[in-house]
Amino acid sequence: MSLLKVINCWKLFGGLKALQNVNFEADQGILGIIGPNGAGKTTLFNVITGVYKPDKGKVFLKNRDITGLSPHTIRRLGISRTFQIPRPFINETVFENVLAAGFFGRVDKVSKKELIEETEKILEFVGLIDKRDEEASSLNIHQRKLLEIARGLITKPILLLVDEIASGLTPAEVDNVVSLIKKVNEKGIGVIWIEHVMRAIMKAAERIIVLDYGKIISEGSPEKVAKDPLVIRAYLGEEIA
Amino acid sequence: MSFTRSLIKKCLVSKNKKYVVFILTALTLSLPLLSSEIFYIDFLLVLFMYATIAVGWNIIGGYTGYVSFGHVAFFGLGAYTTAILLVRFGLSPFVTCILGGVVAIVFALLIGIPTLKLKGAYFAIATLGLGFVLQLLFLNLGSLTGGGEGLSLPLPPWDIKTSVEIFYYAMFIVFLASVLTTYWLEHSRFGLALKCIRDDELSAETSGIPTAKLKTMAFLLSAFFPAVSGGLFSYYATYIDPITVFDPKISMYAIVFSMLGGSGSVLGPVIGSIILYSVAQTARYLITAPGVDVMVFSAIAVAVIIYLPEGIVGFLKGRSGAK
Ligand SMILES: Nc1ncnc2c1ncn2[C@@H]1O[C@H](COP(=O)(O)OP(=O)(O)OP(=O)(O)O)[C@@H](O)[C@H]1O
Ligand SMILES: [Mg+2]
């Protein structure tokens, strides 16, 4: 079943067409989104999560129209996201960062005690339990990215949107986040994953969408997309796969 | 130095805090019994008043990160509500000071909905005018407010000593209520959400926090206590006019007191108020030239921003550096 449907979406910033008639569906697998800098990938996430309203078009989550709803409502309906540059609650502890999302981003009724247990489980899962009581400001970039995932998971999302989680990490850290996201997907959470680190995304994604100048220029399996002349031209010699 | 620091730290940030607060409360309550000097009681009464305004300001300015430059508006509104209800309708100020708080909440709602959409400096600028606008309004609503001549309230029916003591306790109760509210905030989901909004509003919103609603609630709460203290003040002073109760200096006191003590903490604004109000009063006795206290304050404000961005409480918790 398709979890997310994006239909004929447009997003303009003044004269700049950040998204032009974008159409796609996402299911329970891992969907990769690639494209050159400024292609509109993050804008697409902002439109899906309600940060921006599309100028035209609709977004459906499990056949429910969520276009134009506020970000906190969309979060509660089951879409979590991580930010390209992590945006933790910098003065709060790692634990509080996740707990806060748990308090407000969930629709199911959980007691505080259960939520605390679940928060700890998730910190364990992403590998941040040792940092439980440290302020988010003390985390390095890798840990901040893990925190983004933990904060995303506490609300039991249907769909996790991941924005460039591998960029800026060492190869070992990249492997760590790749296997983590695969594990998230194995729990039954659909993943849409924007990534520049081709080595990571080409291995993990079942299907890939390529955005260029706000348009989808190619779509298909990683192998198919990597050989597409349009894609190769968009990247102008940048190495793919 | 390090000994003092660790001692104060023990008092403030550990489990001992409860006892320290308890002892201070007991001392405060018994002060009128210990000292017959009206001067000291009056000094503390006014200190409680400023501290209440600072504690109120801290809810929106410190916890939520929306720095209001117009909190005097709520204080003045509370003062006038209570004064008018007494003068025109004979209602008891000890009851109507709460009504003043409600009026301030309604006003904060009207102001908060549009202005809280503004970020950082823009919100600060938008609130800067609040006190001035109300000052003008009250200057010109002569029939209701007495205009520039102000309002004289009936004298309280007690002798001076009793009267000062009653107001002292009343102001202390309002002050204590504001501190307890902040204490609750510090440990509640609501408070955590406010801190998240302060740290990163977009992140808070996408984490499921209804930021617009909670920011507004924080603003209403932060307007309430200053207004209640304003109501008590008007009856205590027995005379108010727009120049006094909408004095922009009061907004500035709230900000600087909170920042020195440590905004975004329960005791920060209290500690800041105790230290700075004492300094300001002393400065006024030593140097009689007008405006000295304002100059001293501005200097302290600049120094705090540069050297103690997290305030005294932040410094004691070991968070002295700028982030
Ligand atoms: N709020 C905004 N206002 C104006 N222009 C914007 C805004 N957000 C994005 N843009 C522009 O829209 C285009 C798409 O930006 P977007 O951030 O979606 O790109 P991206 O594909 O995520 O790029 P990157 O790989 O560098 O993260 C860019 O030209 C960007 O400058
Ligand atoms: Mg991007």
Side-chain angles (χ1 to χ4, degrees):
Chain A
M1 191 192 76
S2 95
L3 296 180
L4 187 82
K5 260 187 232 160
V6 172
I7 300 171
N8 299 339
C9 267
W10 289 76
K11 181 69 206 173
L12 313 175
F13 293 113
L16 180 88
K17 295 176 185 127
L19 293 178
Q20 305 189 48
N21 203 33
V22 171
N23 277 286
F24 74 91
E25 289 189 19
D27 58 22
Q28 237 134 19
I30 298 180
L31 170 65
I33 297 182
I34 63 169
N37 290 110
K41 305 179 296 295
T42 300
T43 303
L44 180 59
F45 274 11
N46 282 331
V47 163
I48 295 171
T49 54
V51 174
Y52 299 143
K53 220 177 125 109
D55 293 291
K56 245 192 275 171
K58 296 241 166 261
V59 181
F60 288 87
L61 176 68
K62 281 189 160 177
N63 293 325
R64 175 177 179 162
D65 187 355
I66 59 165
T67 327
L69 297 181
S70 64
H72 72 264
T73 311
I74 291 178
R75 171 64 174 257
R76 289 171 182 181
L77 292 176
I79 303 182
S80 292
R81 78 179 289 182
T82 72
F83 289 97
Q84 184 167 345
I85 295 162
R87 307 182 65 134
F89 305 123
I90 202 89
N91 294 311
E92 315 322 312
T93 66
V94 166
F95 178 74
E96 286 166 334
N97 264 263
V98 181
L99 190 71
F103 275 149
F104 288 92
R106 281 171 78 137
V107 275
D108 58 335
K109 288 272 158 279
V110 273
S111 68
K112 189 170 174 181
K113 190 167 157 275
E114 283 170 305
L115 196 60
I116 288 172
E117 279 167 14
E118 281 184 42
T119 301
E120 277 165 354
K121 252 188 235 150
I122 284 169
L123 289 177
E124 191 100 50
F125 173 72
V126 302
L128 276 182
I129 195 73
D130 297 345
K131 301 279 169 192
R132 186 190 185 283
D133 296 316
E134 305 214 359
E135 254 179 46
S137 58
S138 73
L139 300 184
N140 64 30
I141 181 75
H142 178 220
Q143 292 159 340
R144 285 179 193 214
K145 296 204 167 193
L146 297 175
L147 180 56
E148 291 276 321
I149 295 183
R151 202 171 54 181
L153 293 179
I154 190 67
T155 50
K156 300 202 160 164
I158 302 169
L159 202 56
L160 180 67
L161 311 187
V162 180
D163 197 349
E164 295 200 25
I165 192 110
S167 63
L169 301 186
T170 66
E173 289 164 352
V174 170
D175 290 343
N176 167 254
V177 292
V178 170
S179 77
L180 191 62
I181 289 174
K182 281 185 177 160
K183 269 195 262 170
V184 168
N185 186 240
E186 279 157 21
K187 288 177 175 222
I189 298 169
V191 173
I192 306 182
W193 183 357
I194 295 173
E195 194 51 78
H196 270 305
V197 179
M198 295 300 162
R199 185 174 77 75
I201 193 74
M202 289 297 179
K203 261 192 297 179
E206 289 136 45
R207 197 157 62 87
I208 292 204
I209 285 176
V210 188
L211 269 180
D212 191 24
Y213 291 109
K215 277 189 204 143
I216 295 181
I217 57 164
S218 185
E219 192 172 350
S221 68
E223 301 75 39
K224 184 191 154 211
V225 160
K227 286 191 206 114
D228 189 333
L230 274 175
V231 178
I232 294 167
R233 199 178 316 147
Y235 276 87
L236 272 176
E238 276 183 51
E239 198 181 327
I240 301 176
Chain B
M1 174 64 195
S2 78
F3 172 75
T4 341
R5 178 167 157 169
S6 73
L7 184 76
I8 303 174
K9 204 165 168 174
K10 266 193 196 114
C11 294
L12 280 181
V13 280
S14 64
K15 284 172 252 160
N16 303 335
K17 197 153 81 179
K18 242 187 272 173
Y19 303 109
V20 175
V21 170
F22 180 76
I23 292 167
L24 285 179
T25 309
L27 263 179
T28 313
L29 288 176
S30 52
L31 181 97
L33 308 174
L34 300 176
S35 162
S36 56
E37 282 279 1
I38 288 179
F39 174 84
Y40 293 115
I41 303 174
D42 172 78
F43 173 85
L44 279 176
L45 188 167
V46 180
L47 170 60
F48 289 148
M49 183 186 86
Y50 281 119
T52 304
I53 303 170
V55 170
W57 177 91
N58 185 41
I59 296 173
I60 189 75
Y63 278 93
T64 323
Y66 277 75
V67 175
S68 155
F69 274 90
H71 252 56
V72 71
F74 306 124
F75 174 80
L77 214 49
Y80 264 101
T81 305
T82 300
I84 290 169
L85 289 174
L86 177 62
V87 173
R88 311 264 181 240
F89 304 100
L91 300 174
S92 164
F94 293 104
V95 180
T96 57
C97 64
I98 307 287
L99 273 181
V102 175
V103 169
I105 284 181
V106 173
F107 181 65
L109 185 65
L110 295 176
I111 296 302
I113 289 172
T115 56
L116 286 164
K117 292 202 175 92
L118 305 170
K119 296 275 130 67
Y122 298 101
F123 175 78
I125 292 165
T127 51
L128 189 59
L130 287 182
F132 297 106
V133 170
L134 287 188
Q135 195 170 55
L136 268 180
L137 192 73
F138 279 80
L139 276 171
N140 291 298
L141 283 176
S143 59
L144 187 66
T145 65
E149 280 164 29
L151 272 181
S152 289
L153 290 77
L155 290 181
W158 311 289
D159 68 81
I160 291 192
K161 177 94 187 1
T162 318
S163 177
V164 173
E165 281 176 16
I166 288 173
F167 280 103
Y168 173 86
Y169 285 122
M171 200 63 97
F172 179 70
I173 289 168
V174 175
F175 163 72
L176 197 64
S178 71
V179 174
L180 289 176
T181 303
T182 321
Y183 180 82
W184 161 78
L185 198 67
E186 174 73 44
H187 297 93
S188 71
R189 297 175 185 212
F190 178 41
L192 178 59
L194 297 183
K195 290 189 256 181
C196 292
I197 291 172
R198 174 192 62 199
D199 286 359
D200 192 319
E201 190 162 341
L202 174 63
S203 224
E205 176 70 29
T206 60
S207 293
I209 296 172
T211 54
K213 185 172 126 195
L214 298 191
K215 276 190 296 189
T216 310
M217 282 166 63
F219 195 47
L220 305 191
L221 201 55
S222 86
F224 179 75
F225 293 106
V228 177
S229 76
L232 290 179
F233 171 80
S234 69
Y235 194 29
Y236 179 60
T238 70
Y239 167 78
I240 58 168
D241 67 14
I243 302 300
T244 325
V245 298
F246 291 110
D247 186 349
K249 210 164 77 179
I250 297 175
S251 296
M252 193 178 89
Y253 275 17
I255 299 171
V256 180
F257 287 177
S258 293
M259 282 183 25
L260 175 83
S263 53
S265 64
V266 179
L267 291 180
V270 180
I271 295 167
S273 301
I274 294 171
I275 295 174
L276 278 180
Y277 183 68
S278 311
V279 170
Q281 287 305 94
T282 316
R284 270 181 42 181
Y285 278 102
L286 296 180
I287 315 162
T288 45
V292 169
D293 50 342
V294 175
M295 279 167 58
V296 170
F297 267 75
S298 310
I300 291 175
V302 172
V304 167
I305 290 167
I306 298 174
Y307 298 109
L308 274 182
E310 305 269 354
I312 290 172
V313 170
F315 173 71
L316 292 170
K317 283 184 180 169
R319 287 215 236 144
S320 55
K323 295 239 171 70

